[in-house]
Amino acid sequence: MSSTEPPAPAITPDQRRSTGESFGIDPARYDRTRPPYPQAMIDRIVAASPGRSYLNAGCGTGIEARQFRAAGCTVLGVEPDARMADFARRDGLGVEVARFEEWDPAGRVFDAVVSGTAWHWIDPIEGARTAAQALRPAGLLALFWHVFELPPAVAEAFAEVYRRLLPDSPFRPPTHPDRAADPYEPILVNSANGIRDAGGFDEVQRWRFDWERRYTRDEWLDQMPTQGTLTRAPAEVVDQVLAGVGAAIDAMGGGFTMPYATMVLTAARL
């Protein structure tokens, strides 16, 4: 963010809820374009869990659920968007439609509660309390996010169009491409504080997994409409954002390599 750019308005609980439930506009695109999680992360979470019974909060289309299932786990998803839940069920995943904060474990207990790129749409304290109710003693809560480092030209093209067309939006595209973890740092801090404030867990740990992926222009533009900054934006805004970003990628030769850092918060149930 430049020194002259005003801070984004605070995100209200209603905005958090409505945006978190907006990703089902095109679940097939979401599932096709969102990258899976590093296998090293999946393996480490499974190794740290006391068993293989998993609850997936905000499971979306089932991206991480399928990865944990492939690692030998049984997985139940909880997802507030019925469209996303229906898509996940196509692959045989059991999904209950509810906001995680309001979901009732009904006496069921799990070895791990996992959540991939979804916990920031969940109230951090109430979500952690629900997780604590659903976990057996020593069960693991694992929250994780992909943090990506856009090339400066691509990030600025996105930000310029967004600032011009949606100046009052509380959601801002990434504008610190030189420090990949920074845009998500408030989310990581708020989530960790929510776990501590909810009680019932031991100390929060942070893990990091670095990797990268090559994108063509079309591959990146295909993913962009699935991002929370754009899922509720008017179609004409999305079109102009894609045109600006596409021109920036074209000027770079038609593709780029994206550095990713998958950030993980874990805490064990006391």
Side-chain angles (χ1 to χ4, degrees):
M1 183 185 300
S2 68
S3 59
T4 59
E5 183 181 347
I11 299 174
T12 68
D14 284 345
Q15 288 171 325
R16 178 185 290 112
R17 176 173 182 167
S18 62
T19 303
E21 296 174 8
S22 70
F23 295 99
I25 293 172
D26 191 347
R29 181 198 293 264
Y30 187 100
D31 194 75
R32 179 180 70 249
T33 63
R34 290 295 185 107
Y37 295 90
Q39 188 61 43
M41 184 206 79
I42 300 293
D43 294 342
R44 186 170 177 183
I45 290 173
V46 171
S49 305
R52 301 292 178 93
S53 175
Y54 276 48
L55 178 66
N56 188 183
C59 69
T61 59
I63 293 172
E64 67 265 26
R66 294 193 297 267
Q67 290 187 265
F68 282 110
R69 189 172 61 185
C73 303
T74 60
V75 185
L76 173 66
V78 177
E79 168 57 43
D81 191 314
R83 298 165 297 183
M84 300 284 267
D86 284 343
F87 189 96
R89 292 187 185 114
R90 296 180 186 182
D91 196 41
L93 181 68
V95 185
E96 298 182 6
V97 177
R99 295 184 66 219
F100 188 69
E101 305 96 314
E102 301 168 356
W103 177 76
D104 182 7
R108 291 168 291 182
V109 292
F110 300 84
D111 296 304
V113 174
V114 297
S115 183
T117 317
W119 199 258
H120 52 293
W121 306 120
I122 297 170
D123 181 276
I125 299 176
E126 292 304 316
R129 287 174 177 160
T130 300
Q133 292 173 5
L135 282 168
R136 67 178 75 258
L140 187 72
L141 174 61
L143 317 174
F144 38 93
W145 294 262
H146 289 317
V147 182
F148 53 84
E149 185 178 352
L150 281 171
V154 176
E156 182 51 38
F158 190 178
E160 188 280 324
V161 177
Y162 206 85
R163 284 193 298 262
R164 175 161 47 85
L165 299 179
L166 294 174
D168 298 324
S169 173
F171 301 101
R172 295 288 171 87
T175 53
H176 289 53
D178 57 329
R179 291 180 6 231
D182 282 357
Y184 271 69
E185 188 62 25
I187 290 174
L188 295 167
V189 170
N190 290 340
S191 299
N193 288 340
I195 295 169
R196 296 184 185 103
D197 291 344
F201 291 93
D202 68 7
E203 186 53 42
V204 179
Q205 298 182 35
R206 186 185 292 202
W207 305 340
R208 175 174 177 144
F209 300 85
D210 293 300
W211 53 287
E212 61 183 29
R213 175 172 173 173
R214 181 74 183 173
Y215 284 97
T216 65
R217 175 189 189 274
D218 290 345
E219 286 170 342
W220 183 248
L221 296 188
D222 195 22
Q223 186 193 114
M224 284 191 70
T226 74
Q227 298 173 12
T229 47
L230 293 178
T231 53
R232 302 181 70 238
E236 60 270 19
V237 172
V238 176
D239 289 343
Q240 292 190 52
V241 169
L242 297 184
V245 171
I249 298 174
D250 285 339
M252 298 167 55
F256 61 93
T257 298
M258 179 86 82
Y260 278 94
T262 299
M263 308 299 296
V264 187
L265 298 177
T266 66
R269 180 76 167 91
L270 295 175

